[in-house]
Amino acid sequence: MTTVWLVDREFDSKGLVRLTYATEDGERMHTKELAEQRLLTGDGITAGREVEENALGESPADEIERFASEASKMAAEHDLDDTV
């Protein structure tokens, strides 16, 4: 399992939210989509998560630095299961 931290969330016009989690070095990422309604009725979004290595993809080259910065900040300020 690999630890990843929330680095981005995007809302679309269809009511979906795309959550992007990345490793602290910003090199690898994991995305998850869920219905916007689940944000209101679910347990919330956690600062980080543990994911299988095969669930990780390479981060876009132009996002690595930003992802690394955001992931490091989340790791320093939150526990993995903190709701953000």
Side-chain angles (χ1 to χ4, degrees), residues 37-54:
Q37 185 62 29
R38 253 188 94 196
L39 294 177
L40 302 173
T41 61
D43 293 335
I45 298 171
T46 58
R49 7 175 353 137
E50 295 285 334
V51 296
E52 296 288 340
E53 184 68 30
N54 64 359

Side-chain angles (χ1 to χ4, degrees), residues 4 19 39 44 54 62:
V4 291
L19 304 173
L39 294 177
N54 64 359
D62 62 339

Side-chain angles (χ1 to χ4, degrees), residues 17-37:
V17 180
R18 171 176 272 159
L19 304 173
T20 302
Y21 291 83
T23 55
E24 282 191 71
D25 63 8
E27 298 281 334
R28 311 276 305 198
M29 61 179 266
H30 172 76
T31 58
K32 179 179 177 177
E33 287 187 348
L34 60 133
E36 190 174 350
Q37 185 62 29

Side-chain angles (χ1 to χ4, degrees), residues 34-82:
L34 60 133
E36 190 174 350
Q37 185 62 29
R38 253 188 94 196
L39 294 177
L40 302 173
T41 61
D43 293 335
I45 298 171
T46 58
R49 7 175 353 137
E50 295 285 334
V51 296
E52 296 288 340
E53 184 68 30
N54 64 359
L56 294 171
E58 290 186 27
S59 297
D62 62 339
E63 294 283 18
I64 291 173
E65 190 174 315
R66 181 175 76 87
F67 285 179
S69 174
E70 292 295 327
S72 294
K73 188 164 84 171
M74 287 295 266
E77 295 176 3
H78 297 282
D79 289 332
L80 205 58
D81 59 354
D82 283 353

Side-chain angles (χ1 to χ4, degrees), residues 11-16 36:
F11 295 82
D12 73 10
S13 61
K14 298 176 186 173
L16 291 177
E36 190 174 350

